Amino acid sequence: MPLDGVRRIVADPQSEDAQRRIATGWRRALTELRTAHYFLGKLAGGTEIEAAMPIRPTSVAMDPQVQRKAAVDLFNHTWTLLEKPDRTERETDLMVHAAHASRFMWEDIGEPVNHARGEWQIARVYAVVDRPEPALHHARRCLAIVEEHGVGDLDLACAYEALARAHATAGESEAARRYEALGREAAERIPDADDRDLVVSDLDSLPSDG
């Protein structure tokens, strides 16, 4: 700081100009300190000093088998919490986190079918906790992935079921009925009887207008 600036601050430390100069000086000093700290760490060969300013990764690198298992385990854990009748508030939060974490894990190692089913599960979670906006968002993402990649009638029916449930959660009965009808049409085309029955059971569990 120039000498005349120091004189003004000493003369009137409470003035607006003095306070502004002090704040600016502190910000500059902290920036210089961070920079020095970082490069000292580099010069020291990457000691614990460098940990203060870690390089931010652009992706999460995991062994593919470990990542796949984590994605599956998180999906199944989410479903366990979904079916728990006495789920606590904390468990509800963990259920939401687990569903998103599973979808995240599938992003790089999964196929479109894994992505679609991840979005479907997130939509179901948000419908169960009565949050229609994110339920609708993820149900639409599910349908978009299914349509873009031609995933198949099972997942198409599930996407329609997710949209029907999300619209019902939002109190939008007409839209819910429309997607339910589309879901039942798609379910009729599912070749595997067990898969078909599972989707129909989900459709039968949709909230009624009453």
Side-chain angles (χ1 to χ4, degrees), residues 153-154 156-162 164 176-190 199-200 203:
D153 286 319
L154 169 60
L156 180 61
C158 287
Y160 287 142
E161 178 272 328
R177 287 192 297 270
R178 183 170 69 253
Y179 282 111
E180 179 184 353
L182 289 170
R184 293 188 184 279
E185 289 176 13
E188 290 177 0
R189 299 191 296 269
I190 298 173
V199 175
V200 170
L203 290 164

Side-chain angles (χ1 to χ4, degrees), residues 7 22 33 36 57 65 72 79 81 92 104 138 145 148-149 151 153 158 161-162 168 173 184 189 198 202 209:
R7 290 197 188 97
I22 291 171
L33 181 60
Q65 291 184 336
V72 172
W79 201 254
L81 292 173
T92 296
F104 177 81
H138 290 284
I145 293 169
E148 179 181 354
H149 297 280
V151 173
D153 286 319
C158 287
E161 178 272 328
S173 301
R184 293 188 184 279
R189 299 191 296 269
L198 182 63
D202 269 347
D209 292 344

Side-chain angles (χ1 to χ4, degrees), residues 64-79:
Q65 291 184 336
V66 173
Q67 188 167 339
R68 180 175 293 274
K69 185 178 186 305
V72 172
D73 287 348
L74 285 161
F75 186 94
N76 291 335
H77 180 59
T78 301
W79 201 254

Side-chain angles (χ1 to χ4, degrees), residues 2-190:
L3 190 58
D4 62 335
V6 174
R7 290 197 188 97
R8 284 196 294 273
I9 291 174
V10 172
D12 186 7
Q14 301 302 318
S15 71
E16 183 177 342
D17 180 63
Q19 292 174 9
R20 184 172 59 254
R21 287 174 175 269
I22 291 171
T24 300
W26 272 113
R27 283 195 294 270
R28 184 181 300 114
L30 286 171
T31 300
E32 292 171 353
L33 181 60
R34 288 195 200 98
T35 303
H37 198 189
Y38 176 74
F39 284 106
L40 279 172
K42 288 291 186 184
L43 291 172
T47 65
E48 65 275 5
I49 296 176
E50 188 177 352
M53 293 187 68
I55 297 173
R56 296 177 181 175
T58 57
S59 63
V60 176
M62 295 177 66
D63 178 271
Q65 291 184 336
V66 173
Q67 188 167 339
R68 180 175 293 274
K69 185 178 186 305
V72 172
D73 287 348
L74 285 161
F75 186 94
N76 291 335
H77 180 59
T78 301
W79 201 254
T80 298
L81 292 173
L82 270 167
E83 294 180 332
K84 188 174 182 181
D86 56 346
R87 187 176 57 247
T88 65
E89 183 176 352
R90 177 176 178 274
E91 287 173 329
T92 296
D93 288 339
L94 291 175
M95 177 178 70
V96 174
H97 298 327
H100 279 284
S102 176
R103 174 64 182 88
F104 177 81
M105 290 294 181
W106 279 122
E107 179 62 24
D108 292 330
I109 62 167
E111 301 295 329
V113 64
N114 304 118
H115 301 162
R117 291 177 185 180
E119 298 291 344
W120 169 83
Q121 187 182 63
I122 296 172
R124 171 65 68 90
V125 164
Y126 280 121
V128 167
V129 300
D130 197 25
R131 294 181 59 186
E133 182 182 2
L136 283 165
H137 171 77
H138 290 284
R140 288 167 181 148
R141 287 291 303 126
C142 176
L143 179 60
I145 293 169
V146 169
E147 291 181 335
E148 179 181 354
H149 297 280
V151 173
D153 286 319
L154 169 60
D155 292 281
L156 180 61
C158 287
Y160 287 142
E161 178 272 328
L163 279 162
R165 193 176 300 274
H167 279 292
T169 303
E172 298 166 353
S173 301
E174 184 177 347
R177 287 192 297 270
R178 183 170 69 253
Y179 282 111
E180 179 184 353
L182 289 170
R184 293 188 184 279
E185 289 176 13
E188 290 177 0
R189 299 191 296 269
I190 298 173

